[in-house]
Amino acid sequence: MAGLLFPKKDWLDGEELVGRLMNSFNEDRKLNVDVQEFSDHYEVKADLPGFEKAEITVEYDSEILIIAAEHAEQKAETTGRYLRKERSTTALRRQFVVKNVDENQITATFENGVLTLNLPKLEADRSTPKKIDIQ
């Protein structure tokens, strides 16, 4: 009977609310990436607004591409009192399996908060995919 008089409000459920807030927080801190494949190379674009080039690391090892960025808070003397402080250390990291890459020819540029990687393929795709008949 109590359930009828006081129905559970999903948005008021504390555990669910915290979960939703954390998911929203994590989405805001996600490293957004586009990966495009061409016949002779892959192109990766990653949004890194607010980061400096020196704060970004790109590695390619054993067919794994790793993009990482870390921005540490600057410790400055201040006489004011913070009413709200959300800017602090931020670390983002994504990794992908990218095969058939000539790791010695990978290039990277960083402009206007966008990291662009060009990963040339060892062998360009010149064949069409083979269709497999299902018996």
Side-chain angles (χ1 to χ4, degrees):
M1 279 292 200
L4 294 175
L5 294 175
F6 302 104
K8 179 180 173 187
K9 302 278 189 203
D10 286 336
W11 60 273
L12 288 177
D13 183 10
E15 193 169 323
E16 178 65 21
L17 179 61
V18 170
R20 287 182 188 172
L21 287 173
M22 289 308 294
N23 285 342
S24 174
F25 176 78
N26 289 336
E27 285 296 311
D28 289 343
R29 302 252 184 225
K30 188 171 85 172
L31 175 55
N32 295 315
V33 176
D34 292 338
V35 180
Q36 241 180 319
E37 181 179 13
F38 298 91
S39 63
D40 62 341
H41 73 282
Y42 299 97
E43 184 177 270
V44 178
K45 290 190 177 190
D47 288 341
L48 293 164
F51 286 92
E52 299 292 329
K53 183 169 72 170
E55 299 171 322
I56 302 168
T57 304
V58 179
E59 297 175 4
Y60 184 79
D61 184 28
S62 302
E63 300 182 339
I64 307 264
L65 174 68
I66 301 168
I67 302 170
E70 185 170 353
H71 176 75
E73 176 186 9
Q74 303 259 335
K75 300 287 185 191
E77 293 296 321
T78 179
T79 56
R81 180 176 66 96
Y82 284 105
L83 300 177
R84 183 178 190 122
K85 185 160 176 55
E86 296 177 342
R87 298 176 63 224
S88 61
T89 300
T90 301
L92 303 174
R93 180 182 172 96
R94 293 286 300 271
Q95 62 185 41
F96 308 91
V97 174
V98 187
K99 298 182 178 189
N100 189 34
V101 171
D102 184 350
E103 62 186 65
N104 295 318
Q105 299 299 317
I106 297 173
T107 59
T109 58
F110 185 64
E111 187 175 340
N112 296 328
V114 178
L115 174 68
T116 303
L117 304 172
N118 185 302
L119 296 91
K121 292 181 179 180
L122 287 170
E123 297 176 22
D125 293 337
R126 291 192 172 85
S127 65
T128 57
K130 181 179 180 184
K131 182 172 170 134
I132 309 296
D133 291 328
I134 300 172
Q135 300 287 327

